[in-house]
Amino acid sequence: MKRFVKIALAFLLLAAFFVPVSVAAEPSVSVGLASGVSSCTIKANSMTFYDASGKQVSFKGTVSVSAGGRNNITVGGKTLVLPVTVKSNGLLYLDGKPYRGIFRFVASSSSFTVVNELLIEDYLKGVLKIEVNPNWPMEALRAQAITARTYALAEKGRHGSAGFDVCATDHCLPYRGVSAEDSRLTQAIESTRGMVLYYGGKPAVTFFHSDSGGWTSNVQSVWGQDILYLRSLQEPFEYQSPYSSWSLRISGDEIGRRLSRAGINVGSVFEIRPVKYGPGGRVEMVEVVGNRGRKTIKSHDLRMALGAKELKSTMFSVTADGQAQSTVRPASKPSEPEDAQSKSSILITLTREGAFTSDELLDMLLHPEKKDDYVQKALARRGGKVPTPPASESPSKKDPKLLWPQWEMPDESIGTDMTRGARGTMFTFQGKGWGHGVGMCQWGAKAMAENGWSAGKIVKYYYPGTQLQKLY
């Protein structure tokens, strides 16, 4: 009997030891589908609207919703007080598009915002197809599911002031509801259910992008944050994507206009000069010079200003038409001075004396090889008399701002090599990759999966130091 009691106690202890730890419930996420709208249609086989005052109204089929003034909407001719929740046993349709979960209507000025609230696994089903090709290797799809799930959880509440967690655009994650669902992607989501990357006890911020061009970006060079698991990494496998080579041709005038719209005012751009490179040759900082000034900016900011779909990444080189040469072109000089003073000193002195028009100054700025011609013209206008610079001035100590008083100029001295940056009126960017470059590269993940890497190994490579855990 005593032996039996001992055995029973042992089993009880083992049972207590192996009691499964309580698993968290699957979280939900609220997605802003349409912000600041004045009307829409809602459809379901059967649905019930619940308003803030406790009123309930039910409908079948399609019903029209319109703004009814401050904190009110009109649904099928009935006035309801915002916020309003819509529930159905089946799918809900917003303007003909199907969604899982429930709808909420929240106030937005004199209009309203439609929010879709649903479980996060269902949310991912409406996200992945916009992000990744369903025909890719399953481990790449599973890696994308883990990454997107983690990112969504880390970003919950991003649009809290507007009444929802995340938006339905690529500002957060593009979301299309049931219309974007795919059976292989659903398999990838379900096979990684609840799997989340953690860092410091909370979901990691798992940024991802299409194609790194061979090296990912350091997040600090893009957004200024210092996140240890988002540093530059070299892709372990070579691959080809539709973005392995691209080009953008754009005028300096247009660059100036787009920069101005982004709050970077340098005027018409005539020089772009990379001033800082990251690992793999990725451009991190550029100096842009225009006829109203110069700015040193992040290459990411240049990309956003010019258009992320046009300047596809910051892995680029830049050239320009009419680029300055390293030597001064010789010209016929009937009145060329016989003394030893440098051409640059003569040019400075003539400029101080007002010998050039503003158009001539600008043309010399854009086309430095024309300086000699303009000097000869200026000398001819003054009867061939060569100006004498002040005795105290040395060509090596001249102030470029005296030569170009209308705007801030590059710091190169006149007459020296002007080829450090791309100078001209038309610029051509040659590059590779697409996206900001931070975090997981989707085409790189595909190459890893094709080489036998598991989803876990892929995400741990792109986010080193994070822990892959099952949340629910």
Side-chain angles (χ1 to χ4, degrees), residues 9 17 31 36 118 130 138 153 161 167 183 262 307 309 318 335 338 347 350 352 390 423 441 445:
L9 287 172
F17 181 78
V31 189
L118 70 169
I130 299 96
M138 180 55 67
L153 290 174
S161 61
C167 66
S183 59
K309 292 183 179 180
V318 58
S335 58
E338 300 292 337
L347 186 56
L350 287 172
R352 282 175 166 172
R423 298 172 61 88
C441 164

Side-chain angles (χ1 to χ4, degrees), residues 264-283:
I264 304 168
N265 300 302
V266 295
S268 178
V269 172
F270 57 80
E271 181 176 6
I272 300 175
R273 182 167 64 95
V275 296
K276 183 181 179 183
Y277 290 91
R282 183 180 291 276
V283 179

Side-chain angles (χ1 to χ4, degrees), residues 252-269 271-272 285-307:
D253 288 342
E254 182 60 23
I255 293 173
R257 282 190 287 269
R258 296 189 189 186
L259 287 173
S260 179
R261 289 197 290 267
I264 304 168
N265 300 302
V266 295
S268 178
V269 172
E271 181 176 6
I272 300 175
M285 301 290 292
V286 294
E287 182 182 52
V288 288
V289 187
N291 61 4
R292 294 182 183 173
R294 68 163 70 190
K295 294 282 186 182
T296 298
I297 62 175
K298 289 183 177 181
S299 57
H300 173 75
D301 294 338
L302 176 66
R303 178 173 177 253
M304 293 298 99
L306 298 189

Side-chain angles (χ1 to χ4, degrees), residues 123-381:
Y123 165 70
L124 294 177
K125 295 173 185 177
V127 166
L128 257 64
K129 193 174 182 178
I130 299 96
E131 294 291 356
V132 68
N133 188 331
N135 295 319
W136 280 10
M138 180 55 67
E139 291 306 301
L141 304 183
R142 295 178 77 243
Q144 182 66 71
I146 294 168
T147 304
R149 181 184 297 110
T150 304
Y151 183 81
L153 290 174
E155 293 294 285
K156 278 196 69 171
R158 185 175 186 179
H159 292 277
S161 61
F164 50 90
D165 289 322
V166 294
C167 66
T169 73
D170 56 9
H171 177 260
C172 294
L173 292 176
Y175 169 69
R176 302 290 183 272
V178 176
S179 301
E181 294 185 7
D182 176 271
S183 59
R184 288 196 85 235
L185 295 174
T186 296
Q187 179 185 347
I189 293 165
E190 291 177 347
S191 67
T192 61
R193 177 182 172 82
M195 294 174 66
V196 177
L197 287 165
Y198 276 81
Y199 188 85
K202 59 184 180 181
V205 184
T206 50
F207 295 110
F208 55 89
H209 60 282
S210 180
D211 183 354
S212 72
W215 282 80
T216 65
S217 298
N218 186 329
V219 67
Q220 193 168 29
S221 70
V222 179
W223 293 301
Q225 303 161 284
D226 186 15
I227 301 176
L228 293 178
Y229 54 86
L230 294 176
R231 300 291 177 84
S232 295
L233 295 169
Q234 185 175 14
E235 299 292 345
F237 302 101
E238 291 186 1
Y239 58 84
Q240 289 293 315
S241 86
Y243 321 110
S244 292
S245 178
W246 53 262
S247 65
L248 167 65
R249 184 172 169 80
I250 185 171
S251 71
D253 288 342
E254 182 60 23
I255 293 173
R257 282 190 287 269
R258 296 189 189 186
L259 287 173
S260 179
R261 289 197 290 267
I264 304 168
N265 300 302
V266 295
S268 178
V269 172
F270 57 80
E271 181 176 6
I272 300 175
R273 182 167 64 95
V275 296
K276 183 181 179 183
Y277 290 91
R282 183 180 291 276
V283 179
E284 293 188 351
M285 301 290 292
V286 294
E287 182 182 52
V288 288
V289 187
N291 61 4
R292 294 182 183 173
R294 68 163 70 190
K295 294 282 186 182
T296 298
I297 62 175
K298 289 183 177 181
S299 57
H300 173 75
D301 294 338
L302 176 66
R303 178 173 177 253
M304 293 298 99
L306 298 189
K309 292 183 179 180
E310 294 181 72
L311 189 61
K312 297 186 186 303
S313 79
T314 57
M315 188 75 81
F316 63 75
S317 62
V318 58
T319 57
D321 295 353
Q323 186 164 307
Q325 302 300 311
S326 60
T327 58
V328 178
R329 184 185 64 185
S332 175
K333 305 177 182 61
S335 58
E336 185 168 356
E338 300 292 337
D339 56 44
Q341 69 173 304
S342 70
K343 296 172 184 177
S344 59
S345 293
I346 296 173
L347 186 56
I348 292 172
T349 305
L350 287 172
T351 304
R352 282 175 166 172
E353 294 178 355
F356 303 109
T357 67
S358 59
D359 288 341
E360 289 173 334
L361 289 171
L362 181 58
D363 196 33
M364 278 189 281
L365 184 62
L366 296 176
H367 305 286
E369 69 276 10
K370 295 182 179 181
K371 292 194 300 289
D372 281 2
D373 290 342
Y374 279 112
V375 167
Q376 299 310 312
K377 289 179 183 179
L379 291 175
R381 287 196 289 262

